Amino acid sequence: MWKFAPDVSSFTLIDDLGNFMPITDISQNPFNKSQIIIGTGNEIHGIPGYGAFISNDGGSTWLNARVFEVDYHDIRFHESDPNVA
């Protein structure tokens, strides 16, 4: 996971998330830029994953939501409710 500078002139590594992980979607909460959800794996293409991961501190730490039965390729936050993704 990389973070770009505001002027997009450079970027820095936030977290390599350990071993190789097939990240298939990334969504940032438009109401809270520090909250990020990533989805891993894609059942449609036969790519196993590790579920969804949530960060509430801009990617410094991650919590595995341990929901594996979902195909993570289109994670979005609700337009008017920041607590729903």
Side-chain angles (χ1 to χ4, degrees):
M1 185 68 85
W2 298 84
K3 182 176 183 176
F4 284 89
D7 64 359
V8 195
S9 64
S10 63
F11 52 91
T12 55
L13 177 66
I14 297 174
D15 192 328
D16 67 2
L17 299 171
N19 296 327
F20 172 77
M21 186 178 306
I23 295 175
T24 52
D25 199 14
I26 301 172
S27 186
Q28 185 177 40
N29 186 333
F31 303 100
N32 177 0
K33 299 294 186 183
S34 294
Q35 187 176 47
I36 305 167
I37 298 177
I38 62 171
T40 66
N42 187 316
E43 293 295 323
I44 294 171
H45 299 290
I47 303 168
Y50 302 97
F53 289 79
I54 301 169
S55 175
N56 291 307
D57 56 13
S60 295
T61 60
W62 295 92
L63 173 67
N64 187 328
R66 302 223 181 263
V67 179
F68 296 98
E69 295 79 22
V70 179
D71 184 15
Y72 300 102
H73 66 274
D74 193 17
I75 298 171
R76 297 180 192 191
F77 283 87
H78 193 276
E79 294 175 8
S80 59
D81 187 346
N83 298 311
V84 177

